[in-house]
Amino acid sequence: MTHQVHIIGGGMAGSEAAWQLARRGIRVRLSEMRGSGDTTAAHNGDGLAELVCSNSFRSDDHEKNAVGLLHQEMRECGSLLMAAADRARVPAGSALAVDRDVFSAEVEAALRAQSTLEIVRERVDVLPSDGLTIVATGPLTAPALATSIGSATGADSLAFFDAIAPIVYRDSIDMDVAWMASRWDKGAEASLAMGGDGRDYINCPMTKEQYFAFHEELLAGEKTEFKEWEANTPYFDGCMPVEVMASRGVETLRFGPMKPVGLDNPHWATPEHPNGRWPYAVVQLRQDNKLGTLWNMVGFQTKLKHAEQVRVFRTIPGLENAEFARLGGLHRNTFLNSPTLLDRQLRLKSSPHIRFAGQITGCEGYVESGSVGMLAGLLAAAEIAGRDWTPPPPTTALGALLSHITGDAEAETYQPMNVNFGLFPPLHDVKKKARKEAYTERAKADMAAWVATLP
């Protein structure tokens, strides 16, 4: 099959771009190096759209949360990723979390069913010299292709480290110590509606003495050593290793992933406090698969060596006998200085037949990566059809993210960014307490008008 668009990379962005093109009858070649004998330091298998870090797409609240609004906008555009996520969903309160194996299988099955799409397991080492191309190789782009991209951009790619959280087997958690609850019972209604019980997190409590001892162990634990060329690579704050957070102050974790507020420990109930009391600190675990057998340590991305992870994390109350399905890890991510290098249609200014999509553009997060892939697919489809492109309004989550990546961000300080209301045109005449609802109300109206223009 002679292709009209070549997509390099079968992750979140590449899979969504391929879907948007193929469902419009456009012939696509999707190249994915995993399955050809190559892999990355972070992937476990060769499935398309494999989730490497967390299994959470974060908040699904489209009324008050920017990422939840992005979920909704993608659904309105016929997103494959969101449809697959909805089918692979597992209880996580008001968040959208998925069984990662079911999710990947759903995405791959849908793509293989497209008659105009060819999936090829191959490594691409050089950017194509002609033909419409979407590069969606993500933050773990293979060295040869990264070199080719560097030559084409005329500048060094930026880089940062991304850390992965451990996954624990549910039956190895001591529930006589831990308990199940959502903070402030938030998301209970959504959880019940999808088959959960409204208590979607396992909570491991710590006293003050236990917390301070754990903090010391985190700081003292043996870490992964950096290679010389990695030594000055910064972390992305949204996925910072837990021990790096701990090094910023003894109380930092208690105001971050280990905050205890809104979590009454029923094991500590007394006649005076029949619902229990808040611990000094809490380690939370979130369900990672539909069977409920695997649980992800929330916010516990780490660069501790594997043996140290087992030793240190088994000092957490309730995890003394924890068995780990996956230990944490560390990998280097790369991304472009997109505001300088890409035009408003995600095209490389020096080679406009090439578009970039996903995390390599400097967006951060599964949903953001998929949404930029979706936009790249829609852009390529419009170009093939000879249609003028009208971008989503910057008042929408899609439009705000696209604008940020393609020129609105400060190029000199450009860093990976999740979607947030700070990227939206401001509303000055709305009270602060009502601002989030006002942003989403405006976005929904503008999004409905834009979606009506899609083919």
Side-chain angles (χ1 to χ4, degrees):
M1 178 175 65
T2 302
H3 60 268
Q4 296 168 278
V5 180
H6 186 189
I7 299 175
I8 305 173
M12 297 289 282
S15 294
E16 184 66 50
W19 170 256
Q20 294 295 335
L21 287 161
R23 68 193 288 251
R24 288 170 169 81
I26 295 170
R27 300 186 301 279
V28 179
R29 181 185 184 94
L30 177 60
S31 298
E32 169 53 53
M33 76 172 187
R34 289 175 299 115
S36 68
D38 290 287
T39 188
T40 73
H43 286 88
N44 290 319
D46 58 9
L48 299 181
E50 179 185 332
L51 304 183
V52 171
C53 188
S54 167
N55 72 319
S56 175
F57 287 16
R58 312 193 320 278
S59 175
D60 203 32
D61 178 3
H62 59 87
E63 298 292 341
K64 298 180 181 179
N65 189 285
V67 72
L69 179 62
L70 186 59
H71 289 180
Q72 184 61 27
E73 291 180 1
M74 291 178 69
R75 289 182 177 111
E76 292 179 34
C77 293
S79 166
L80 169 61
L81 298 181
M82 294 311 301
D86 288 336
R87 289 192 290 270
R89 191 168 188 160
V90 298
S94 59
L96 173 57
V98 303
D99 181 313
R100 63 185 75 218
D101 293 330
V102 173
F103 173 77
S104 176
E106 289 278 352
V107 171
E108 185 152 346
L111 291 176
R112 289 194 179 280
Q114 298 299 307
S115 61
T116 60
L117 173 62
E118 181 183 18
I119 300 171
V120 184
R121 301 293 181 162
E122 61 181 355
R123 191 184 72 209
V124 177
D125 290 336
V126 180
L127 289 175
S129 59
D130 56 23
L132 290 183
T133 303
I134 297 174
V135 180
T137 47
L140 300 174
T141 301
L145 184 57
T147 298
S148 179
I149 292 170
S151 298
T153 59
D156 292 334
S157 293
L158 301 177
F160 64 98
F161 284 114
D162 200 0
I164 301 172
I167 293 176
V168 179
Y169 287 106
R170 169 65 173 78
D171 60 8
S172 70
I173 302 171
D174 184 355
M175 297 305 294
D176 289 333
V177 175
W179 82 101
M180 295 194 69
S182 294
R183 196 182 310 277
W184 303 115
D185 291 326
K186 185 177 180 181
E189 291 183 7
S191 171
L192 291 167
M194 59 163 297
D197 61 4
R199 301 175 300 161
D200 292 339
Y201 293 84
I202 293 176
N203 302 280
C204 298
M206 287 187 182
T207 64
K208 184 175 181 178
E209 293 75 18
Q210 289 169 331
Y211 173 77
F212 276 83
F214 178 71
H215 184 269
E216 290 182 7
E217 291 288 355
L218 278 178
L219 296 182
E222 191 175 3
K223 285 43 169 216
T224 301
E225 295 180 1
F226 296 149
K227 298 175 183 177
E228 183 178 352
W229 55 270
E230 298 174 321
N232 296 317
T233 305
Y235 294 104
F236 171 58
D237 283 346
C239 213
M240 183 170 292
V242 65
E243 61 276 1
V244 174
M245 282 189 279
S247 71
R248 296 186 170 185
V250 70
E251 293 289 292
T252 301
L253 292 174
R254 290 188 63 241
F255 289 89
M258 294 182 67
K259 61 185 177 183
V261 297
L263 293 167
D264 293 320
N265 182 357
H267 299 308
W268 294 356
T270 65
E272 184 181 1
H273 301 286
N275 294 324
R277 300 289 283 168
W278 294 356
Y280 191 77
V282 168
V283 175
Q284 286 196 306
L285 294 94
R286 179 181 56 233
Q287 187 172 330
D288 202 80
N289 65 345
K290 277 188 176 293
L291 293 175
T293 56
L294 302 177
W295 288 70
N296 192 299
M297 296 179 68
V298 177
F300 267 64
Q301 300 88 357
T302 182
K303 64 188 183 77
L304 288 171
K305 289 190 173 181
H306 283 182
E308 286 290 81
Q309 290 181 47
V310 174
R311 182 185 68 81
V312 173
F313 294 153
R314 282 182 177 169
T315 68
I316 297 170
L319 299 185
E320 293 90 345
N321 297 307
E323 296 294 334
F324 296 89
R326 184 190 72 189
L327 289 164
L330 186 71
H331 55 275
R332 185 176 189 244
N333 285 353
T334 57
F335 62 96
L336 299 174
N337 193 321
S338 296
T340 299
L341 299 171
L342 304 184
D343 69 12
R344 291 291 185 175
Q345 295 196 31
L346 297 169
R347 294 177 298 201
L348 189 60
K349 292 176 182 178
S350 61
S351 301
H353 66 286
I354 297 174
R355 284 185 169 85
F356 283 86
Q359 283 186 261
I360 197 169
T361 66
C363 66
E364 175 63 22
Y366 294 143
V367 183
E368 289 87 342
S369 179
S371 70
V372 178
M374 182 175 72
L375 289 170
L378 292 171
L379 282 161
E383 185 172 344
I384 289 170
R387 291 187 291 104
D388 291 333
W389 167 254
T390 301
T395 52
T396 65
L398 281 169
L401 191 59
L402 179 64
S403 295
H404 176 78
I405 290 169
T406 59
D408 287 359
E410 291 291 338
E412 291 184 3
T413 57
Y414 189 60
Q415 287 290 319
M417 179 68 72
N418 295 118
V419 67
N420 62 82
F421 286 124
L423 304 182
F424 290 54
L427 288 165
H428 299 295
D429 56 346
V430 178
K431 292 183 179 180
K432 187 175 182 180
K433 287 185 178 180
R435 202 161 288 167
K436 291 180 179 179
E437 292 90 333
Y439 278 128
T440 57
E441 184 178 349
R442 179 182 65 177
K444 288 176 182 179
D446 292 348
M447 188 66 188
W450 182 75
V451 168
T453 68
L454 295 177

